[in-house]
Amino acid sequence: MSLPCSPQTCQHRVSKLVSSLLFGFALSTCAMSVSAALSVEPMSWWTGMQQTQLQLLITGDNIRDTQVKLIKAQGVTLSSIDKTDSNDHLFVNLDLSQATPQQLTLGLFKDDQLLEQFDYALQARKKGSRDRQGFSNKDVIYLITPDRFANGNPDNDNHPDMLEQANRGFDGGRHGGDIMGIRKALPYLHDLGVTQLWINPLLENNQQKYSYHGYSTTNFYKIDPRFGSNQEYQALVEEAQTFGIGIIQDVVVNHMGSGHQWITSMPSSTWINDQSRWLKDPTDVSYSSHRRTTVQDPYAVSGDISDFSDGWFDVTMPDLNQRDPHMATYLIQNSIWWVEYAGLSGIREDTYSHADKHFLSDWSKAIMNEYPHFNIVGEEWTANPVTVSYWQTGKQNTDGYQSLVPSMMDFPVYEALISSLTDKEQWESGFIKLYQMLANDLVYSNPSNLVLFEGNHDTNRIYSLMNNDIELYKMAMAYVLTSNRIPQIFYGSEILMQSPTGERNDGAVRADFPGGWPQDSVNVFSHQGLNADQKQALNFMRTLLNYRKTSQAIQQGDLHHFVPKDGIYVQSRHFGDETLLIVYNKNEQAVELDLSRFTEVFNGNTQGIDIINKQAQALNQPLKLAQKGVTILALSH
């Protein structure tokens, strides 16, 4: 039976259509029947979850005045139906506490007449799903920007339903990398020694331009067809597991893309921040102040807090209002759905502190309740460890706020690492910055669960930041990989990919991985065309990464460090019978380092073997450092 649009509804949509077309949104006209436009999210669910309440968002033209009933169900109760001021959305609340795996049938009725019915799958969870192990200190995370990594299927570079077409000649355009390319690279990644892949967002971004990065979601339940399909994503996770590699999903709960279908019909009048104002004038946007300390500041006024958390990143990224209870539930269920559906081992949460902080606690609590051994890392881009520590679970904050996110990105140590290696050695510069920053670990509830990185998709390339000095580069990589942190490296760092170093250089930073396209003259996978420095860097990284896989001292050992002196900074890692001595040296001229200062961390050992070049070193003899660089000694009797 048809449910035609009311005059008021159609007039409202035409008004929004005119505004939206000014910005190139992909819109559809008002459908004349429920079946033509009906959608349900989440698309499926599971029995046996800790949270037994499920909220379905049903979307269809002019369905607000219909009733939803269970036609076929066993052990499932329809608790309630929530209606908002939207004519096109219903929120259906189901109690699954007594449910078994089955296919439900639900119907939409009007005046007791069935208008439409649909099936809904409740599935059995995979064995061990709840007990899955998240990423940890034993892992090395490898970050991939999928559009720029490897093009495994050129046939999906373009798609008839997607607005932006591939253009590899444009550094801000789509280049064609995809899920199949990552799958084909799994043997290389395994040989390199990485154990987790953090992949920049793969969800649909149907925007007219600059959509390759993935942070403007237009469908929260669909992989972008230019990357592949939901099923291909599942297959990637399963195949990666056979190589001992887990998959971390990049999640965005703060904003969405302006091309999302919600723009034509919002599920509620409070779905996004500044909604009524923006709908009147799509150019009238309140941008975020980016003053992230306001949400922690004991003296901050409410206006400054909302200017940060409610402000938009860009006119193409509407800011989601997590204080809307239906929006909050939608986002929480979406994250859990992807973990369960795809078999993920972690989540990296983008622009973490920009979302409502009380929602963030509810979101992380729901995920961790469902998967108690899981891991989530949040992005809080600041060099201040006090600001970062506020968001980690277990921190006793003075305002009483309790976060439940296990990990945060360690921007403070990253910033200190870059400056310590490139600044001149003086009383307050050089290695001392890194030494003092690490001493700030006392502000964290669990510093060893932070993720430390040498670069990511938003930072300039590490080799370029090290002034193309391969020894400084090695020191930076060694520090990240031997620290008491969870290490993360950026694709291409292992072969010295470069970028400009001033300001942002997104296109160059996220350049194509050499060998990811058949016509590439340099191919990392086959080692074709690599220069001597690239081969040296790749060998260094492969050796250290694979050593780390079995090193309990690195994965869970104690860390001690010594005050830097004369351009040399020394750390040790120790667990059980394994002790490592790590020597960072910035001296341009050859020096001999008296090791007697470090005997308290030798643990009775008398010699060491350099894990990179295999040379032996007696600990009662000076360590001869012919040039600047890093020396990693595995100590023994």
Side-chain angles (χ1 to χ4, degrees):
M1 178 179 289
S2 297
L3 286 177
C5 300
S6 67
Q8 295 86 356
T9 300
C10 288
Q11 182 179 10
H12 182 52
R13 291 190 183 176
V14 168
S15 175
K16 286 192 287 186
L17 177 62
V18 172
S19 297
S20 298
L21 285 176
L22 294 175
F23 288 84
F25 299 145
L27 307 178
S28 60
T29 56
C30 184
M32 297 302 292
S33 68
V34 173
S35 60
L38 192 68
S39 69
V40 182
E41 296 174 302
M43 298 184 295
S44 61
W45 204 250
W46 297 266
T47 59
M49 304 290 276
Q50 294 298 111
Q51 173 55 262
T52 60
Q53 307 303 304
L54 174 66
Q55 184 172 96
L56 303 180
L57 170 56
I58 302 179
T59 303
D61 289 312
N62 208 31
I63 64 171
R64 185 180 189 277
D65 293 329
T66 63
Q67 294 83 45
V68 180
K69 297 180 182 179
L70 289 173
I71 296 176
K72 185 179 74 172
Q74 294 181 342
V76 178
T77 302
L78 198 162
S79 303
S80 62
I81 300 172
D82 297 341
K83 299 181 179 183
T84 67
D85 43 20
S86 168
N87 285 325
D88 305 325
H89 300 88
L90 291 172
F91 295 91
V92 177
N93 300 300
L94 302 177
D95 184 340
L96 307 182
S97 57
Q98 303 300 316
T100 57
Q102 61 188 284
Q103 184 143 294
L104 303 176
T105 301
L106 294 89
L108 270 65
F109 293 79
K110 191 164 187 179
D111 298 328
D112 293 325
Q113 182 177 2
L114 177 64
L115 304 177
E116 183 75 18
Q117 70 179 41
F118 60 91
D119 294 330
Y120 191 83
L122 289 178
Q123 306 167 71
R125 302 178 74 181
K126 288 185 178 180
K127 184 178 180 180
S129 176
R130 173 170 168 76
D131 297 322
R132 72 186 64 225
Q133 179 63 54
F135 63 88
S136 68
N137 298 83
K138 73 178 188 298
D139 290 308
V140 173
I141 301 170
Y142 189 88
L143 167 58
I144 289 173
T145 300
D147 181 66
R148 306 301 174 83
F149 185 64
N151 189 349
N153 180 15
D155 291 340
N156 66 14
D157 289 359
N158 297 301
H159 191 278
D161 296 334
M162 299 293 104
L163 295 173
E164 186 175 12
Q165 303 298 296
N167 180 6
R168 198 181 178 199
F170 175 41
D171 71 0
R174 285 189 171 265
H175 291 186
D178 51 29
I179 291 172
M180 184 57 68
I182 299 172
R183 290 181 66 182
K184 290 180 177 180
L186 288 173
Y188 163 80
L189 296 168
H190 173 70
D191 178 68
L192 182 62
V194 301
T195 58
Q196 297 282 342
L197 299 183
W198 158 25
I199 306 172
N200 286 152
L202 289 163
L203 298 184
E204 180 192 275
N205 272 227
N206 196 11
Q207 304 285 118
Q208 281 198 328
K209 57 183 180 179
Y210 293 105
S211 66
Y212 75 92
H213 54 70
Y215 289 96
S216 296
T217 308
T218 56
N219 189 324
F220 284 90
Y221 282 95
K222 182 182 178 182
I223 296 295
D224 194 294
R226 291 161 294 190
F227 291 138
S229 65
N230 287 17
Q231 293 74 26
E232 286 183 80
Y233 187 47
Q234 273 187 323
L236 166 64
V237 176
E238 291 175 0
E239 187 173 358
Q241 288 172 350
T242 67
F243 287 93
I245 297 174
I247 302 296
I248 300 168
Q249 187 174 57
D250 206 336
V251 171
V252 187
V253 299
N254 180 67
H255 52 268
M256 66 181 184
S258 56
H260 198 290
Q261 64 177 356
W262 286 332
I263 300 301
T264 65
S265 179
M266 295 289 188
S268 75
S269 60
T270 57
W271 205 242
I272 63 174
N273 289 312
D274 278 337
Q275 184 166 313
S276 59
R277 170 181 161 186
W278 180 73
L279 288 174
K280 290 179 182 177
D281 180 0
T283 64
D284 188 12
V285 172
S286 294
Y287 294 100
S288 174
S289 68
H290 297 286
R291 299 299 183 185
R292 53 193 10 91
T293 57
T294 55
V295 295
Q296 311 166 14
D297 185 352
Y299 313 112
V301 297
S302 59
D304 287 342
I305 297 172
S306 62
D307 284 348
F308 167 68
S309 61
D310 295 355
W312 290 28
F313 263 69
D314 188 86
V315 71
T316 64
M317 294 181 176
D319 202 70
L320 303 178
N321 177 22
Q322 301 88 16
R323 290 183 294 276
D324 181 307
H326 297 110
M327 166 61 81
T329 299
Y330 181 93
L331 293 171
I332 290 169
Q333 291 183 164
N334 179 254
S335 294
I336 293 173
W337 189 88
W338 279 110
V339 175
E340 193 73 21
Y341 171 83
L344 303 175
S345 61
I347 285 174
R348 180 265 185 182
E349 173 53 43
D350 179 67
T351 54
Y352 186 80
S353 64
H354 284 261
D356 179 76
K357 69 179 186 179
H358 301 294
F359 159 79
L360 289 171
S361 288
D362 293 339
W363 172 81
S364 52
K365 180 180 180 181
I367 296 171
M368 296 306 296
N369 280 349
E370 214 62 73
Y371 311 99
H373 308 298
F374 198 63
N375 209 344
I376 304 169
V377 57
E379 178 200 33
E380 171 63 314
W381 195 337
T382 175
N384 186 343
V386 174
T387 304
V388 175
S389 70
Y390 182 86
W391 298 106
Q392 189 181 29
T393 188
K395 178 66 182 292
Q396 300 299 311
N397 293 306
T398 57
D399 64 357
Y401 179 73
Q402 293 185 351
S403 175
L404 294 168
V405 169
S407 178
M408 296 297 293
M409 302 298 296
D410 196 348
F411 278 92
V413 169
Y414 164 76
E415 298 284 358
L417 177 63
I418 301 302
S419 61
S420 72
L421 289 171
T422 54
D423 290 351
K424 185 178 180 180
E425 287 295 314
Q426 295 179 330
W427 179 253
E428 288 294 337
S429 68
F431 280 135
I432 193 64
K433 285 187 177 181
L434 189 54
Y435 174 87
Q436 291 176 339
M437 183 57 73
L438 196 62
N440 287 322
D441 274 8
L442 58 89
V443 304
Y444 294 108
S445 61
N446 185 5
S448 65
N449 205 25
L450 301 175
V451 172
L452 178 60
F453 54 98
E454 47 76 24
N456 62 35
H457 57 289
D458 291 325
T459 66
N460 291 316
R461 287 282 180 175
I462 185 66
Y463 185 55
S464 299
L465 291 173
M466 295 297 105
N467 303 313
N468 292 6
D469 186 320
I470 195 167
E471 297 304 330
L472 291 179
Y473 156 87
K474 288 179 185 178
M475 283 194 271
M477 303 305 287
Y479 189 90
V480 170
L481 293 170
T482 63
S483 68
N484 62 337
R485 299 292 198 265
I486 302 170
Q488 175 251 297
I489 60 177
F490 189 32
Y491 80 96
S493 291
E494 72 272 25
I495 48 95
L496 309 180
M497 284 181 67
Q498 300 187 55
S499 73
T501 57
E503 304 301 328
R504 290 286 294 260
N505 301 281
D506 290 348
V509 166
R510 307 163 189 170
D512 295 346
F513 189 69
W517 282 253
Q519 62 270 39
D520 291 353
S521 58
V522 177
N523 190 321
V524 181
F525 303 119
S526 66
H527 297 186
Q528 176 184 341
L530 296 178
N531 62 37
D533 282 346
Q534 289 176 318
K535 291 178 181 178
Q536 181 185 169
L538 185 57
N539 180 67
F540 175 84
M541 289 294 291
R542 186 189 297 110
T543 302
L544 183 50
L545 284 167
N546 281 286
Y547 181 90
R548 193 188 188 283
K549 280 185 176 181
T550 58
S551 173
Q552 296 300 304
I554 296 177
Q555 292 181 15
Q556 57 180 315
D558 295 332
L559 181 147
H560 292 91
H561 64 167
F562 297 81
V563 174
K565 290 184 178 181
D566 302 321
I568 295 175
Y569 179 28
V570 175
Q571 291 189 336
S572 72
R573 301 299 309 276
H574 173 73
F575 182 85
D577 295 331
E578 183 186 9
T579 300
L580 295 179
L581 193 70
I582 307 141
V583 180
Y584 300 95
N585 170 38
K586 286 171 66 178
N587 290 285
E588 298 286 350
Q589 305 299 320
V591 297
E592 291 191 355
L593 178 64
D594 183 354
L595 297 178
S596 61
R597 180 186 173 207
F598 314 111
T599 54
E600 65 180 281
V601 299
F602 287 174
N603 297 304
N605 292 297
T606 59
Q607 64 177 348
I609 300 292
D610 190 315
I611 69 171
I612 302 298
N613 62 27
K614 311 305 180 186
Q615 292 183 358
Q617 168 68 41
L619 300 183
N620 62 355
Q621 299 292 323
L623 176 62
K624 295 181 180 180
L625 303 172
Q627 61 181 12
K628 67 181 174 185
V630 59
T631 302
I632 306 173
L633 297 176
L635 306 189
S636 62
H637 294 291

